[in-house]
C-alpha cells in the first residue's frame, strides 16, 4: 500500500485515500468529507454534496470494485497499483439551465500528482445506473462490485475539465446531458448521482524534440524519394 494511501487512512480513520486511471496520476488525494464538493445551479448558492466516495480496483490483490463503508473520500486516479473512480450525490433543483460543480482539495501536497510523462489530467463526469442516489451509499459495505467501478467511468458524459497544475478547487460546468439528468432527478427522486474517472494526457515534446522529429521526417522522406527514383530508373 502506497505511503500517501496509508497517511490518508491513518489521518481520516475510515476515509480511505485511494486514487482511478491507468498509470499513476490522481486528483484529490486527501479528502475526507462530502462537504468539499458543491453544486451551484443557475448561478445560485452552492450546496454541499449529500454523499461522496469512491470504488476501487486493486489489480495487485485481485480486488475489484472495493468500497469502504464510511469513506467519503472522492480521490480519483491511480497510484500505479490502485485505481479509483469517485461518485457524488446532490439534491437536484429544476429547472436547471446551468450547473457548476466545484470540488475542493484541502491538501496541496497530495491534491494533484502526475505520472511520468503526463502533462495534464482530464476528469470526466458520467451517468450512473448501478447505484441509487436515494440509498446510503457511503454508509454501506460493497464487495467486489467491479460493475459499479466500470459504471462510474463510462456511459453518458455530463462534462469534463482538464487540469495541468494544482489548484485548491476544480470546477466543471455540466453539459446539456448533465442538465437533463439534473432536471429528470428533480422531477423524480429529487437526488442526483454521477460518477467520475480520470484520464492522463501525455506531455507535448519540447521544441528541441520537435526539431529532431522534423529532421528525422525530412531525412526519411528524402530517402524514400531517392528509392522511388532509383526504382523508376
Amino acid at each position: 500500500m502506497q505511503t500517501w494511501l496509508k497517511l490518508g487512512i491513518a489521518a481520516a480513520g475510515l476515509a480511505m485515500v485511494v486514487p482511478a486511471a491507468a498509470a499513476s496520476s490522481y486528483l484529490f488525494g486527501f479528502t475526507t468529507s462530502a462537504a468539499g464538493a458543491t453544486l451551484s445551479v443557475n448561478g445560485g448558492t452552492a450546496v454541499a454534496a449529500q454523499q461522496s466516495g469512491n470504488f476501487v480496483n486493486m489489480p495487485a490483490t485481485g480486488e475489484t470494485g472495493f468500497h469502504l463503508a464510511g469513506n467519503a473520500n472522492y480521490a480519483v486516479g491511480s497510484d500505479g497499483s490502485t485505481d479509483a473512480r469517485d461518485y457524488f450525490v446532490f439534491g437536484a433543483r429544476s429547472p436547471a439551465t446551468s450547473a457548476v460543480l466545484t470540488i475542493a482539495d484541502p491538501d496541496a501536497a497530495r491534491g494533484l500528482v502526475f505520472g511520468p510523462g503526463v502533462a495534464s489530467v482530464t476528469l470526466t463526469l458520467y451517468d450512473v445506473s448501478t447505484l441509487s442516489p436515494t440509498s446510503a451509499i457511503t454508509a454501506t459495505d460493497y464487495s467486489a462490485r467491479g460493475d459499479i467501478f466500470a459504471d462510474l467511468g463510462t456511459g453518458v458524459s455530463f462534462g469534463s475539465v482538464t487540469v495541468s497544475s494544482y489548484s485548491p478547487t476544480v470546477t466543471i460546468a455540466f453539459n446539456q446531458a448533465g442538465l437533463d439528468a439534473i432536471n429528470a432527478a428533480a422531477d423524480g427522486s429529487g437526488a442526483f448521482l454521477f460518477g467520475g474517472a480520470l484520464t492522463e494526457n501525455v506531455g507535448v515534446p519540447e521544441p528541441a524534440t520537435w526539431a529532431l522529429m522534423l529532421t528525422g521526417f525530412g531525412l526519411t522522406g528524402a530517402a524514400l524519394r531517392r528509392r522511388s527514383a532509383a526504382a523508376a530508373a
Side-chain angles (χ1 to χ4, degrees):
M1 190 176 291
Q2 300 296 316
T3 301
W4 66 276
L5 180 55
K6 291 179 180 177
L7 288 173
I9 296 173
L14 291 178
M16 184 178 180
V17 180
V18 284
S24 54
S25 300
Y26 59 85
L27 274 168
F28 318 126
F30 193 75
T31 53
T32 61
S33 170
T38 60
L39 183 67
S40 174
V41 175
N42 301 334
T45 302
V47 176
Q50 297 174 352
Q51 297 187 70
S52 70
N54 56 35
F55 282 75
V56 183
N57 276 356
M58 301 182 188
T61 62
E63 294 180 82
T64 60
F66 174 78
H67 175 272
L68 182 66
N71 176 25
N73 193 334
Y74 45 81
V76 58
S78 173
D79 64 3
S81 62
T82 304
D83 298 342
R85 293 173 178 175
D86 56 14
Y87 65 85
F88 297 94
V89 177
F90 286 91
R93 285 168 288 169
S94 177
T97 58
S98 67
V100 176
L101 172 69
T102 300
I103 310 176
D105 195 307
D107 192 325
R110 291 184 291 277
L112 170 64
V113 172
F114 284 159
V118 175
S120 64
V121 291
T122 298
L123 175 63
T124 303
L125 309 180
Y126 293 96
D127 70 325
V128 177
S129 60
T130 52
L131 292 171
S132 169
T134 58
S135 65
I137 305 168
T138 302
T140 305
D141 284 303
Y142 288 80
S143 177
R145 291 299 301 271
D147 60 325
I148 297 177
F149 175 85
D151 192 20
L152 294 177
T154 57
V156 178
S157 169
F158 288 164
S160 65
V161 64
T162 297
V163 180
S164 57
S165 60
Y166 176 76
S167 173
T169 59
V170 173
T171 59
I172 305 175
F174 280 81
N175 59 25
Q176 189 58 53
L179 295 176
D180 290 344
I182 293 174
N183 289 326
D187 293 336
S189 68
F192 173 54
L193 167 68
F194 55 90
L198 205 67
T199 55
E200 297 177 316
N201 307 307
V202 297
V204 176
E206 296 292 330
T209 303
W210 275 116
L212 289 173
M213 290 171 62
L214 292 173
T215 300
F217 293 151
L219 293 174
T220 300
L224 289 173
R225 286 193 295 272
R226 287 195 298 270
R227 184 175 301 173
S228 297

